[in-house]
Amino acid sequence: MEQSVRELWAESRELLGLHSEDVPRADLPPTPLAFLRDHVSPGRPLIISAAATRHWPAASLWPTESYLSDALRSTDVSVHLTPSGRADALAPHPRRPGAKCFASAHVRRVDFPSAVRLIRGSDPAAGLVAYAQQQDDCLRGEYSAVAGDVDAHVPWASEALGCLPEAVNLWIGNSCSVTSFHKDHYDNIYVVLSGEKHFLLLPPTEHHRLHVRDYPAASYVTEQETEEVPRLKLEMEEPERIVPWSSVDPYPASPEDMAAQVSSFPLYFKGPRPIRCTVRAGEMLYLPSMWFHHVSQSPGPNGLTIAVNYWYDMQFDIKYAYFNFLRSLEIKDSPSDNNDDGFEGELKQKKVS
């Protein structure tokens, strides 16, 4: 079974035209027909150059030091707090040594200038990292005062997909925040406006490589809610809630952690290289629905990484049925001798800052 699935990985990448680590790039936005034919229908990612956002006021205003803080001075926003910068990710179980749980961030409402101070002051060594990542159509909600600085939707994408975006979100963080491997049931247009976003991508056919397992859910809470700089602790949810999540950390912190990851999750580390791309300020990434992605980031000159994304509802068609069938297949978690295209060695020298 494992050999057949490995052949599927290779064939799907060949059909998508993904022979290298780079996502295709376009100098200009595609026509709706070309976008539908060449990217939506086959499920192929695309990066569009900064020409696509040059007319946005946000492209020149948001990377500055003070524009957003001035425009949102009296606005309360949601900031997500974790000790390490990894929200919606695996963390050590607080009650079971050696076990893992799925940890969600503590969400605090603060005025926007205070949120920016928390984000800029983020420090995992001090046990506090802040990230504005509300994901509930927040640009058109709590950030509505600056929503007019970007297009309300992406016209060529809306025409090709036959709908307007269900949600438009704003993301503000710095290099301390990392998003673990996951997938979304949306076609995603992701636009960076300050700094850079670094993506690792896997197509839906490579589901088994992420060793998705069930983990009990937990949330970070503050020891004292009144603290201006809160101290966080992890509490398990009651009643118990189970979350299926990827077990893979693609950038282990130490050689010992790397050895443990490779031994425990060989389908990831002994499979094809993940598809890598960096989305720079002004650029757009089209990420098809159901693609797995891991995201890290680098700040711009203003000390922040700022992005907007447009979530369009995916089509639940026969491809979704195929994915569910693939997911139902059981593949052993044992190392394979078939390592012709493995990339374990190169990662031993790499680490995300």
Side-chain angles (χ1 to χ4, degrees):
M1 178 69 76
E2 180 179 331
Q3 181 58 35
S4 297
V5 170
R6 287 180 177 274
E7 291 171 1
L8 172 65
W9 300 345
E11 185 176 9
S12 63
R13 289 199 182 202
E14 183 176 355
L15 290 171
L16 288 169
L18 299 174
H19 302 291
S20 70
E21 297 185 7
D22 295 326
V23 170
R25 287 181 170 267
D27 293 331
L28 296 172
T31 65
L33 177 60
F35 179 57
L36 179 62
R37 179 191 62 216
D38 299 336
H39 297 281
V40 176
S41 181
R44 180 185 296 118
L46 175 69
I47 294 176
I48 302 103
S49 79
T53 60
R54 199 163 289 143
H55 63 287
W56 289 13
S60 58
L61 294 175
W62 289 12
T64 62
E65 189 73 25
S66 61
Y67 172 78
L68 285 176
S69 291
D70 290 341
L72 298 166
R73 183 175 304 278
S74 59
T75 301
D76 286 347
V77 300
S78 302
V79 63
H80 292 234
L81 305 175
T82 61
S84 63
R86 296 172 183 266
D88 294 341
L90 300 187
H93 196 294
R95 301 177 193 162
R96 302 175 192 163
K100 298 282 189 181
C101 62
F102 174 81
S104 298
H106 175 71
V107 182
R108 173 176 278 195
R109 293 284 292 179
V110 299
D111 61 83
F112 183 78
S114 296
V116 170
R117 285 194 294 272
L118 284 169
I119 293 167
R120 286 188 169 133
S122 293
D123 182 4
L128 187 67
V129 175
Y131 192 20
Q133 54 153 24
Q134 186 60 14
Q135 304 176 52
D136 61 353
D137 199 26
C138 62
L139 182 62
R140 299 187 292 200
E142 57 191 35
Y143 296 103
S144 60
V146 296
D149 293 341
V150 305
D151 284 350
H153 66 110
V154 182
W156 44 269
S158 298
E159 184 174 343
L161 296 167
C163 61
L164 293 173
E166 179 175 294
V168 185
N169 300 307
L170 177 62
W171 310 72
I172 304 176
N174 67 7
S175 60
C176 298
S177 294
V178 177
T179 303
S180 62
F181 264 121
H182 69 286
K183 69 181 186 303
D184 297 310
H185 293 86
Y186 294 99
D187 284 297
N188 192 356
I189 303 289
Y190 203 99
V191 187
V192 176
L193 291 160
S194 177
E196 298 179 343
K197 293 273 188 173
H198 313 290
F199 288 80
L200 294 179
L201 305 177
L202 293 177
T205 46
E206 297 181 26
H207 162 84
H208 291 96
R209 298 186 59 197
L210 294 179
H211 298 263
V212 175
R213 296 174 181 169
D214 289 341
Y215 294 93
S219 299
Y220 290 105
V221 299
T222 56
E223 294 184 6
Q224 292 184 345
E225 186 60 36
T226 56
E227 291 179 320
E228 183 176 351
V229 180
R231 288 171 293 177
L232 301 173
K233 62 180 180 179
L234 192 59
E235 288 189 352
M236 302 305 299
E237 291 188 11
E238 298 290 348
E240 184 179 67
R241 180 171 65 93
I242 298 299
V243 178
W245 205 253
S246 168
S247 304
V248 172
D249 178 0
Y251 296 109
S254 68
E256 294 77 16
D257 288 344
M258 169 61 81
Q261 285 275 318
V262 172
S263 175
S264 299
F265 312 122
L267 295 178
Y268 178 80
F269 290 96
K270 296 184 181 294
R273 293 172 178 83
I275 298 158
R276 307 170 190 266
C277 68
T278 291
V279 185
R280 301 176 178 86
E283 295 181 336
M284 289 182 172
L285 168 67
Y286 166 62
L287 185 60
S289 59
M290 305 295 286
W291 272 66
F292 296 97
H293 48 292
H294 175 283
V295 192
S296 56
Q297 50 196 3
S298 304
N302 60 357
L304 301 173
T305 310
I306 304 174
V308 168
N309 85 297
Y310 300 81
W311 269 336
Y312 289 85
D313 266 336
M314 67 172 281
Q315 294 294 317
F316 288 86
D317 55 16
I318 196 168
K319 288 189 291 185
Y320 183 69
Y322 289 153
F323 172 79
N324 283 335
F325 171 73
L326 176 65
R327 186 174 58 178
S328 73
L329 302 178
E330 292 188 12
I331 306 297
K332 288 183 180 179
D333 286 0
S334 58
S336 168
D337 294 333
N338 184 353
N339 192 25
D340 295 339
D341 197 24
F343 66 102
E344 164 197 349
E346 72 176 63
L347 284 180
K348 290 182 179 177
Q349 303 301 322
K350 295 190 178 190
K351 198 175 177 182
V352 171
S353 60

